Amino acid sequence: MNVQPNAATPPRAAPGPIDVRGFDRDRVETAVDLAIYLDRVRRHRSELRESVAAVDLALKAPIARGGAWRERVRAALAELAHDFDDHIALTESPGGIYDRARRSAPRLSGRVTRLLEEHRDLHGAIHGYLAVLEYGGTMADLPVFREELTVLVGRLVRHRQKGGDLVYEAYDVDLGGSD
């Protein structure tokens, strides 16, 4: 969907309605509606990537800074928690990307279910670590705590990749990996 017309490619007409054969016409959005929604997903995806990167950067700071390290990680993790909650709302809502993928490509239902399970696990982990940082939970072993958060960052990166793959398979649309 990011194809830019050039001199050799004539401009395309505005997209028409999606082929509704076999679908409930009341539930099928036009291609324009889908493009607008996917643009919103793309923007949010970029925000989520930035939040994950901020946590990763905060984790790289020296632990010896103690309270300053803890506060920096807490602030980055709080932003990530907010963005991940938004991600869940955007993708899981009725008419959201997972609902749309199940309707347009039922073969992907199993993958959608796995992504939903990851949402529950990741949400619990993010908010659990944030609670430790916000409410003074014990972090007797800061290197272990940092390692656990680093593993969480990796899980979030993989989750984001799986979501992008799902959208590509459902709609033949690349959400982009670096923006």
Side-chain angles (χ1 to χ4, degrees):
M1 298 206 90
N2 285 336
V3 177
Q4 298 294 320
N6 61 33
T9 308
R12 287 189 261 164
I18 296 173
D19 181 4
V20 295
R21 290 176 288 194
F23 292 99
D24 176 353
R25 288 180 184 269
D26 293 334
R27 297 196 63 194
V28 176
E29 294 86 8
T30 66
V32 172
D33 292 337
L34 179 61
I36 291 168
Y37 178 77
L38 289 176
D39 186 55
R40 183 175 168 214
V41 169
R42 199 176 275 116
R43 283 192 314 269
H44 174 73
R45 180 178 168 81
S46 180
E47 291 172 13
L48 187 58
R49 181 190 56 79
E50 290 171 11
S51 294
V52 171
V55 171
D56 189 44
L57 185 61
L59 292 171
K60 291 176 183 177
I63 291 176
R65 292 186 178 158
W69 179 87
R70 187 179 171 128
E71 178 52 30
R72 185 173 178 191
V73 172
R74 188 213 56 78
L77 197 57
E79 182 64 26
L80 174 62
H82 177 268
D83 287 347
F84 196 74
D85 290 348
D86 287 349
H87 166 74
I88 289 172
L90 182 65
T91 58
E92 291 187 13
S93 65
I97 199 73
Y98 294 163
D99 184 42
R100 292 169 188 246
R102 280 185 167 149
R103 284 189 282 128
S104 67
R107 73 188 188 291
L108 300 174
S109 289
R111 289 174 56 192
V112 169
T113 298
R114 286 188 292 281
L115 287 168
L116 291 169
E117 290 168 359
E118 286 182 16
H119 278 182
R120 285 187 292 280
D121 293 343
L122 292 167
H123 180 271
I126 292 167
H127 286 275
Y129 288 121
L130 184 58
V132 167
L133 290 166
E134 286 184 339
Y135 303 109
T138 3
M139 296 188 319
D141 194 345
L142 287 179
V144 169
F145 187 80
R146 178 168 59 185
E147 179 61 28
E148 290 174 2
L149 283 174
T150 301
V151 169
L152 176 63
V153 165
R155 289 177 57 205
L156 287 160
V157 167
R158 286 186 296 281
H159 175 77
R160 189 173 173 272
Q161 292 166 341
K162 291 175 198 174
D165 290 344
L166 177 86
V167 169
Y168 185 81
E169 287 192 40
Y171 306 107
D172 199 28
V173 172
D174 183 0
L175 291 175
S178 62
D179 51 305

